Amino acid sequence: MREKTGGAAFPTPRFMVDDESRILGFSIHTDGMSLRDYFAIKALQPLTKSFLEKELDLEDPIGWMGGLASDAYAMADAMLKAREE
């Protein structure tokens, strides 16, 4: 799954401690937002501005919102690919 999503956007350490709060070890906590989700959110603002400058069918907001979400994730996928180069 990491290849497609880029892994966690904000991984954090998770410490294992004993009863006296001594650190026994740690692991990386990776639940939550993926890097792909984070990139899509960052791409959303300029894409939204571009969409709102057009005449939109306000009777069918799901249609243009779906297109906007698809474009944001397409941009996120392009950003993930660019990181590999």
Side-chain angles (χ1 to χ4, degrees), residues 45-59:
Q45 185 175 4
L47 290 172
T48 301
K49 183 178 185 300
S50 172
F51 263 70
L52 293 177
E53 290 171 351
K54 300 175 184 176
E55 286 190 33
L56 302 173
D57 180 4
L58 299 179
E59 299 293 320

Side-chain angles (χ1 to χ4, degrees), residues 3 39 74-85:
E3 318 71 58
F39 283 169
M75 180 65 77
D77 292 339
M79 286 188 261
L80 287 171
K81 184 173 180 174
R83 292 181 79 220
E84 296 172 4
E85 298 174 359

Side-chain angles (χ1 to χ4, degrees), residues 3-82:
E3 318 71 58
K4 183 174 169 91
T5 66
F10 305 103
T12 56
R14 177 177 288 163
F15 295 95
M16 293 161 274
V17 296
D18 64 13
D19 292 340
E20 296 177 12
S21 299
R22 290 183 295 224
I23 296 174
L24 301 174
F26 76 96
S27 62
I28 301 298
H29 180 67
T30 59
D31 293 341
M33 183 187 307
S34 72
L35 190 55
R36 182 174 185 252
D37 292 331
Y38 180 74
F39 283 169
I41 290 166
K42 288 297 195 177
L44 197 56
Q45 185 175 4
L47 290 172
T48 301
K49 183 178 185 300
S50 172
F51 263 70
L52 293 177
E53 290 171 351
K54 300 175 184 176
E55 286 190 33
L56 302 173
D57 180 4
L58 299 179
E59 299 293 320
D60 181 27
I62 300 302
W64 64 266
M65 286 183 197
L68 183 60
S70 294
D71 288 350
Y73 275 102
M75 180 65 77
D77 292 339
M79 286 188 261
L80 287 171
K81 184 173 180 174

